Amino acid sequence: MSAAPDTLSQPRFDRTAWLVLWGGLLAYSLAAAPVPYVNEPHYLCKARHFWDPTWCRGDLFLESFNAHAVFYELMGWWTTWLPFAVVAWLGRVVALGWLAAGFVSALQPMVGSRTRIWLIVAGWLALQACGSFSGEWVVGGIEGKVFAYAGLLCAWGALCRGRLVIAGLWTGIAMAFHPVVGGWGLLAALGAILVARLTGSRLLPQSADVSWLRTLTAAGLLVIAALPGLVPALRMLGQPVATNVRFAGTYLQVYHRLGHHLDPMLFPWNGYACYGLLLGLLLILGWRQRSQPLLRAICLVTLCAVAFALAGVAIGYGSRPPQQMPWYESRMHLLKFYPFRLADALLPLAVCVLVVQHIKAGPRLLGSLAGLLLIAALARGGSLAAEYRLAKEQNPDWIAGCHWLRDHAPADSLVMTPHDSWSFKWYAGLPEYVNFKDCPQDAAGIVEWNRRLLFQQKWFQEHYADQFYSTTELRDLSQKTGTAYLITDHLGPMEPTPVFEQGAIRIYDLRAPAAAQSPASPR
């Protein structure tokens, strides 16, 4: 096996390794994440509205608190003059290029060989394609966390080279793009440093300068770089809202909207089994390679991330409904900070590093293995994408209906959409009353989002008692919600004639003199 040097005389950044990785990550993104992918309308439409508040004015989600201001600042201007799909690919190219550079920067000091770097990342992609623990993904569509993970990898690469000040800067940039991802990365690194000091081991190369001056400089740069992202996040958390609103917002976020990411009782059993196996491999292989400082260091950082996740499991474990758990209110407030996501992404990567370091083979064999694993990841990602393309968001009838509204409806028309849609604004460029995906992040916005969903569901259930929606009933809906149009893929039958019909998609014009007044909040 190849041993990483424990000095600052590291080789120059390997551009060939970077270009090949960049191409591989883009290929996986193309195969597994057709545009628009799940979160791209969510974040890019918010970025567009951030730069142009007149676009989709009146949309609940777009006018809610801007928690990811740095991402919106970076991407929003492009959306004002380029199509969303072009901006999505522009963002992917930039973010994945940075991510590839982060991989090379972080892995080159540890494993040296470019073929080993390729094999590690290909193995990691294959594992990511097979599943996750808490639903975390890194390579797919474009959003702020992709930049944040790239920043953390660059910070790790700087630390491996003993460049503490540069590492602090990269960590701050990661936190600016995504305070949660960057924050957990910082805590894992600090935890590893603490463990290393307590056990008398080292994390940095022997010749690294860790003087107080450099440490303070690194901390200062970290804070300054992180402030553009931290300030909005702290402002959101500190908003003056009623106690019951804050409680309801957190409850809805943890146990309803984001339960698949935040509630360990909802994680799949195979996720526990697979990540338990990965943890076992990490402990065994890490112990065998403990004499290599950089490999020992990545194990410590990863174990700290796993400790955060295990603490999250302990906090969230209990009876359901959650009200049956002791101190469940305090527990849910802790869970909303995503304690699982860093381990979800980092544990497979660390295991791949350790496994590859155990392989005694030449560059050709390593390169061939990397190619085979990449092909497997592409095949798995492609099969997932094929299933995804059957969804409504890629349905040509749905897209045609959205485009009809874009071309015929006034720009300020509020539209009632199916609650499970998430690409309407992307295709139509019009505000919508509510949808499940576009949930605000501030407590007041979450409560209002939930109220609208419940109202929508209750209204359609109650008025279907006669198995028919009359023109009068639809005008009542318009009066109570301020909606001008209804687009549906299954509701009905309806008394009025649709203004657009293609396949299962129908659009109804709800406007009438009685409905043209100021929208009233449904009770």
Side-chain angles (χ1 to χ4, degrees):
M1 72 185 71
S2 64
D6 187 29
T7 70
L8 294 183
S9 58
Q10 303 292 344
R12 289 187 176 183
F13 182 84
D14 191 331
R15 293 183 180 180
T16 301
W18 168 58
L19 288 172
V20 171
L21 276 189
W22 193 0
L25 295 177
L26 283 172
Y28 182 81
S29 179
L30 176 64
V35 175
Y37 198 55
V38 179
N39 287 343
E40 285 176 322
H42 184 85
Y43 286 103
L44 290 181
C45 288
K46 198 84 160 74
R48 170 72 185 271
H49 185 79
F50 182 85
W51 271 82
D52 179 12
T54 64
W55 186 78
C56 286
R57 176 173 288 165
D59 186 276
L60 169 67
F61 168 67
L62 297 186
E63 296 185 347
S64 65
F65 197 92
N66 294 309
H68 297 283
V70 172
F71 178 81
Y72 303 148
E73 284 277 10
L74 177 69
M75 303 299 298
W77 178 75
W78 300 95
T79 64
T80 62
W81 63 284
L82 288 174
F84 279 124
V86 173
V87 178
W89 272 112
L90 176 66
R92 291 189 191 195
V93 168
V94 173
L96 294 179
W98 185 6
L99 188 68
F103 275 123
V104 175
S105 177
L107 297 176
Q108 191 177 0
M110 285 188 286
V111 302
S113 163
R114 69 172 56 143
T115 51
R116 289 182 183 273
I117 294 174
W118 295 337
L119 182 55
I120 289 167
V121 178
W124 175 77
L125 271 180
L127 288 174
Q128 291 275 288
C130 292
S132 62
F133 180 57
S134 65
E136 180 72 334
W137 56 266
V138 180
V139 181
I142 182 62
E143 59 179 83
K145 72 176 181 180
V146 185
F147 293 103
Y149 279 114
L152 287 180
L153 286 170
C154 288
W156 176 254
L159 276 178
C160 289
R161 293 168 172 82
R163 298 168 184 168
L164 185 61
V165 173
I166 301 301
L169 177 61
W170 279 124
T171 303
I173 292 173
M175 293 178 69
F177 274 102
H178 202 292
V180 173
V181 169
W184 283 120
L186 173 62
L187 289 176
L190 292 176
I193 291 171
L194 177 61
V195 172
R197 285 187 175 274
L198 293 175
T199 57
S201 57
R202 288 180 293 105
L203 289 183
L204 299 179
Q206 287 178 335
S207 50
D209 186 349
V210 290
S211 64
W212 280 108
L213 178 59
R214 284 186 175 271
T215 302
L216 291 175
T217 303
L221 283 177
L222 187 155
V223 172
I224 292 171
L227 281 177
L230 278 181
V231 170
L234 293 175
R235 282 182 54 210
M236 183 184 70
L237 292 175
Q239 279 186 308
V241 296
T243 303
N244 63 320
V245 173
R246 190 177 303 280
F247 169 85
T250 301
Y251 183 90
L252 290 167
Q253 184 182 44
V254 173
Y255 295 118
H256 179 47
R257 174 61 187 86
L258 296 175
H260 57 297
H261 292 309
L262 302 178
D263 184 359
M265 300 299 290
L266 297 181
F267 298 167
W269 69 266
N270 56 326
Y272 279 97
C274 291
Y275 273 70
L277 176 61
L278 289 175
L279 179 57
L281 286 172
L282 178 78
L283 294 173
I284 295 170
L285 297 178
W287 179 257
R288 289 182 177 179
Q289 302 188 57
R290 65 189 183 280
S291 61
Q292 299 184 46
L294 293 182
L295 296 181
R296 184 172 64 243
I298 193 175
C299 289
L300 286 177
V301 172
T302 303
L303 287 174
C304 286
V306 170
F308 302 150
L310 292 177
V313 171
I315 291 169
Y317 180 81
S319 304
R320 292 296 181 271
Q323 292 90 332
Q324 297 178 359
M325 296 190 300
W327 311 294
Y328 87 95
E329 182 175 350
S330 298
R331 294 162 79 167
M332 75 177 182
H333 281 291
L334 292 173
L335 287 174
K336 74 177 180 179
F337 293 104
Y338 288 83
F340 314 99
R341 70 186 318 161
L342 186 64
D344 209 342
L346 189 55
L347 181 56
L349 179 63
V351 169
C352 287
V353 170
L354 297 173
V355 169
V356 168
Q357 284 299 83
H358 263 75
I359 298 176
K360 297 179 180 179
R364 288 188 178 181
L365 179 57
L366 290 174
S368 299
L369 289 174
L372 290 174
L373 281 173
L374 179 60
I375 291 171
L378 292 175
R380 174 59 178 166
S383 67
L384 295 175
E387 298 175 10
Y388 166 84
R389 288 189 178 95
L390 299 176
K392 174 175 57 189
E393 315 305 328
Q394 298 290 328
N395 187 320
D397 297 335
W398 167 257
I399 296 173
C402 294
H403 285 174
W404 187 91
L405 280 167
R406 178 196 63 189
D407 297 335
H408 293 85
D412 60 349
S413 301
L414 187 64
V415 181
M416 181 79 72
T417 60
H419 83 282
D420 59 346
S421 67
W422 46 262
S423 64
F424 175 77
K425 291 186 283 289
W426 176 284
Y427 291 123
L430 294 171
E432 44 188 331
Y433 179 67
V434 70
N435 74 65
F436 185 80
K437 177 66 178 175
D438 286 349
C439 177
Q441 295 196 29
D442 60 295
I446 295 172
V447 171
E448 172 62 15
W449 164 85
N450 185 63
R451 183 191 64 78
R452 291 190 182 197
L453 282 176
L454 291 175
F455 170 81
Q456 186 183 50
Q457 180 184 27
K458 182 179 179 182
W459 191 94
F460 282 111
Q461 286 178 345
E462 289 181 346
H463 290 81
Y464 194 64
D466 57 357
Q467 299 186 342
F468 180 77
Y469 297 106
S470 68
T471 300
T472 301
E473 288 172 327
L474 292 175
R475 287 179 179 174
D476 172 73
L477 176 66
S478 177
Q479 284 184 303
K480 290 181 175 179
T481 61
T483 50
Y485 291 89
L486 168 68
I487 179 171
T488 179
D489 56 353
H490 66 276
L491 279 173
M494 307 277 185
E495 180 181 1
T497 302
V499 294
F500 173 90
E501 183 174 2
Q502 182 171 316
I505 303 300
R506 291 172 174 79
I507 299 174
Y508 299 91
D509 189 342
L510 306 182
R511 293 173 300 176
Q517 308 300 320
S518 299
S521 295
R523 301 295 180 186

